Amino acid sequence: MTDIVDELKWRGLFAQSTDEDALRKALADGPVTFYCGYDPTAASLHVGHLVQVLTMRRLQQAGLRPLALVGGATGQIGDPRPTAERTLNDPETVAQWVTRLRAQIEPFLSFEGENAAVMVNNLDWTAGMSAIEFLRDIGKHFRVNKMLTKESIARRLESDEGISYTEFSYQLLQSMDFLELYRRYGCTLQQGGSDQWGNLTAGLDLIHRLEPGAEVHALATPLMTKADGTKFGKSEGGAVWLDAGMTTPYAFYQFWLNVDDRDISRYMRILSFRTPAELEELEKVTEERPQARTAQRALAEELTTLVHGADQCAAVVAASKALFGQGDLGELDEATLGAALSEVPHARVTELGPLVDLLVEAGLAPSKSGARRTVKEGGAYVNNVKAVDGEAAPAREELLHGRWLVLRRGKKNLAAIEVTAG
């Protein structure tokens, strides 16, 4: 199983570990149980969480036993952000989000076999603990001067807002998680992002203090970044969520399809389960023909299938092709078409006027004269059919699902007209 360390390094998933040689030996000596934690501070995970979720899947496939922790306790506190205090959510909301996040993580792991995954909740060992017990049994083993060196704590202390004792104590709760999982499941490895390194090592220190001789490890993956300096996992509409009700499968697919050429090779290695040979071939194709976006398309299809299922992936691929004239728009179901059209410029009208007016309304032409010129030159399409008369109004029978027209100028400029009740 030591090969997994080399694979993680090749894929750019190995930022640091507490002792690489000791970790390799532990992996070689026998089955290792590891955990990764997710705090329910929102109703869904977002694409930034995929790094950890898919790394858990990769480690399980290599023979390790995963414990996926969704923090019903830590989710009520929140890991300190570098800039401002978190808004606390009520326990009922957090409990609902725990259920939602568990349902999102479970499909990525196997719950059968010798290294079957286990879902855990840190509320199970914190709910019954009194404040006195927490301070005596856990807090006693932490040194404030060391906690103050954590970057997010130091930055908050320098700010005007400062930091509450609640968020300052988060590190103790996460450390207690590792201790409890060590005692309950024999967990000896914690996996997380490099921004969590202070919390990861604090857990190791706590175990070493209370369980002398214990051999435990931490493994950090690098933070995902974008070449243009913007935050990974954000689109123009905000975070890209795994929940289909918060980010549609079509928008999820488009996020990956639009990945910058400078980032795609790195993202493929981190997130794809293709072999190194397959990935290197995709990298070569991208370098030779970047305009084809072959690697982006491959990653978009792989991740959309993993997150939303093969049927949804097929539907959004069909929609993506149909919008640009490579398929029949009439064959798309209403939900998929609606999701696709929500990602393009659109206008709402109560009546269908002349096509030239609709082209202007939709932003595909600057003026009626410009719209007429586009039609005359053969560059205007209605539902993928070339328009020949700009003064004629499309018939209501042409509306897709009785609601939409898809207008296109040239090959790539799309817009939608939605007819609403007057």
Side-chain angles (χ1 to χ4, degrees), residues 20 38 77 114 127 175 201 205 219 239 285 322 399:
E20 183 181 333
Y38 307 85
I77 303 300
E114 294 182 356
S175 299
T201 55
D205 291 342
L219 170 63
V285 170
L399 291 174

Side-chain angles (χ1 to χ4, degrees), residues 35-351:
Y35 97 95
C36 184
Y38 307 85
D39 279 340
T41 53
S44 171
L45 298 175
H46 54 72
V47 294
H49 293 109
L50 277 178
V51 179
Q52 303 310 327
V53 175
L54 296 182
T55 300
M56 289 192 79
R57 179 185 179 96
R58 206 179 299 279
L59 292 174
Q60 184 180 32
Q61 291 178 348
L64 286 75
R65 179 195 187 198
L67 307 175
L69 185 151
V70 181
T74 44
Q76 296 184 45
I77 303 300
D79 192 18
R81 293 183 298 187
T83 54
E85 193 84 7
R86 290 181 182 273
T87 299
L88 298 183
N89 298 295
D90 62 76
E92 292 76 17
T93 298
V94 173
Q96 293 174 6
W97 290 352
V98 167
T99 301
R100 290 171 64 105
L101 266 59
R102 285 175 62 109
Q104 288 182 333
I105 295 169
E106 286 171 351
F108 292 94
L109 303 173
S110 171
F111 292 83
E112 299 177 352
E114 294 182 356
N115 65 331
V118 179
M119 299 295 299
V120 294
N121 184 343
N122 54 22
L123 193 62
D124 292 344
W125 52 82
T126 56
M129 177 177 279
S130 70
I132 295 297
E133 289 174 319
F134 179 68
L135 292 173
R136 284 180 59 88
D137 298 342
I138 303 299
K140 178 68 175 177
H141 303 287
F142 285 80
R143 296 295 174 263
V144 171
N145 57 330
K146 187 172 183 179
M147 295 174 67
L148 292 174
T149 63
K150 185 181 177 184
E151 182 179 356
S152 60
I153 301 295
R155 289 177 61 180
R156 287 281 294 279
L157 287 173
E158 294 171 359
S159 70
D160 292 336
E161 185 174 353
I163 186 170
S164 69
Y165 181 75
T166 298
E167 288 196 3
F168 183 67
S169 302
Y170 179 92
Q171 188 177 118
L172 279 69
L173 291 171
Q174 184 168 328
S175 299
M176 186 169 65
D177 289 345
F178 199 177
L179 174 65
E180 285 295 325
L181 294 177
Y182 172 81
R183 288 172 171 173
R184 295 178 181 221
Y185 297 95
C187 178
T188 57
L189 171 64
Q190 182 178 181
Q191 165 212 332
S194 57
D195 60 331
Q196 290 287 309
W197 188 248
N199 290 335
L200 269 61
T201 55
L204 266 70
D205 291 342
L206 180 62
I207 293 174
H208 287 150
R209 287 177 179 274
L210 295 177
E211 301 287 344
E215 293 187 9
V216 286
H217 312 273
L219 170 63
T221 59
L223 294 181
M224 292 276 275
T225 57
K226 285 186 177 182
D228 63 6
T230 58
K231 189 173 182 179
F232 172 77
K234 298 285 185 179
S235 68
E236 292 183 5
V240 180
W241 304 99
L242 303 194
D243 186 284
M246 298 170 69
T247 297
T248 66
Y250 183 86
F252 182 88
Y253 176 87
Q254 289 295 320
F255 172 79
W256 300 108
L257 190 62
N258 292 322
V259 165
D260 193 308
D261 289 335
R262 295 170 294 175
D263 293 320
I264 187 59
S265 293
R266 183 162 47 90
Y267 291 179
M268 287 283 293
R269 291 191 180 208
I270 289 172
L271 298 170
S272 174
F273 285 85
R274 286 177 168 83
T275 66
E278 291 172 324
L279 293 176
E280 287 171 350
E281 179 61 27
L282 283 168
E283 290 170 5
K284 180 180 178 182
V285 170
T286 298
E287 185 176 346
E288 295 174 348
R289 298 177 56 243
Q291 69 279 5
R293 306 193 75 74
T294 304
Q296 283 92 334
R297 203 173 306 278
L299 184 61
E301 292 185 14
E302 181 176 359
L303 293 180
T304 304
T305 298
L306 276 172
V307 173
H308 296 294
D311 290 345
Q312 280 288 348
C313 181
V316 299
V317 169
S320 183
K321 290 180 178 179
L323 285 180
F324 293 95
Q326 300 175 25
D328 186 352
L329 287 165
E331 293 183 355
L332 302 179
D333 65 82
E334 185 173 1
T336 300
L337 179 61
L341 295 182
S342 69
E343 300 299 314
V344 304
H346 59 277
R348 292 182 174 87
V349 299
T350 56
E351 295 291 338

Side-chain angles (χ1 to χ4, degrees), residues 1-5 21-32 64:
M1 286 194 294
T2 55
D3 289 345
I4 187 60
V5 174
D21 291 338
L23 176 59
R24 286 179 179 272
K25 184 178 184 303
L27 293 172
D29 287 346
V32 169
L64 286 75

